[in-house]
Amino acid sequence: MTKKITRKELATCPDCVCFNIRKASRVVTQVYEEAMSKTGLRGTQFSVLVVVALFGSITITRLAENLVMDRTTLSRNLKPLEKRQLLKVIAGADRRTRVVQLTDSGHNTLKAALPLWKKTQQKIARLMGSERLDNLLGELRAIEKITDQM
């Protein structure tokens, strides 16, 4: 007979970093997606467009690294943006690489989404307070580096 897990053994599980970050992420994603709904962009799609715009032209591999995503997941995320003709994926310098670029429509959509993003970012900063937000962003950047230490 298997011994059941006790409540005492599970007591610290609600403090799980993964659980709490994912929960907070869902809340934040909902806030940004609601704000940008007029553009038809999801929060993750906005982030992809921003990174592509910052680089001008970027390989899928480098884009995946910047977004901390695996290439397969990124490719799935690029499909709706390609379908909406917000970006294009073209052959790179050699046959093995593929390069992502914004289209004119992608630039226009990003330009429309940016003020909505800024307004939401300012609202969150106001609600959290700038010091807490700066601390949070610093901690999140530190978490991104965890894999370098493991």
Side-chain angles (χ1 to χ4, degrees):
M1 180 174 196
T2 305
K3 183 182 173 194
K4 292 190 176 184
I5 297 173
T6 66
R7 287 185 174 268
K8 185 177 180 181
E9 290 173 302
L10 297 172
T12 59
C13 290
D15 294 332
C16 173
V17 174
C18 181
F19 170 72
N20 283 285
I21 286 176
R22 290 184 68 102
K23 190 167 65 168
S25 176
R26 286 189 291 276
V27 169
V28 170
T29 298
Q30 289 169 5
V31 169
Y32 279 89
E33 288 184 357
E34 182 180 322
M36 289 191 288
S37 64
K38 297 170 194 157
T39 66
L41 288 177
R42 298 182 56 101
T44 52
Q45 293 172 329
F46 175 80
S47 298
V48 170
L49 293 180
V50 167
V51 173
V52 173
L54 286 170
F55 280 88
S57 180
I58 185 171
T59 65
I60 288 182
T61 299
R62 189 151 183 219
L63 181 58
E65 290 168 356
N66 275 271
L67 295 169
V68 192
M69 296 174 89
D70 64 77
R71 286 175 44 107
T72 304
T73 302
L74 176 59
S75 293
R76 277 195 309 272
N77 282 285
L78 294 177
K79 295 258 185 264
L81 296 170
E82 283 184 280
K83 188 174 182 178
R84 284 185 59 191
Q85 298 180 337
L86 300 180
L87 54 76
K88 59 185 174 183
V89 179
I90 59 174
D94 66 49
R95 293 165 66 178
R96 294 175 298 170
T97 60
R98 302 194 10 98
V99 175
V100 182
Q101 298 175 334
L102 282 186
T103 62
D104 288 343
S105 181
H107 280 284
N108 292 338
T109 301
L110 187 54
K111 191 169 185 160
L114 191 57
L116 302 171
W117 173 86
K118 283 182 180 180
K119 184 177 179 182
T120 306
Q121 187 80 355
Q122 290 167 349
K123 183 178 181 180
I124 289 173
R126 187 175 65 251
L127 292 170
M128 286 190 70
S130 60
E131 185 176 334
R132 282 179 60 210
L133 181 58
D134 288 345
N135 288 338
L136 173 64
L137 293 172
E139 295 302 325
L140 292 172
R141 288 182 189 107
I143 288 171
E144 284 178 43
K145 293 179 169 91
I146 283 177
T147 57
D148 297 339
Q149 302 166 10
M150 295 183 104

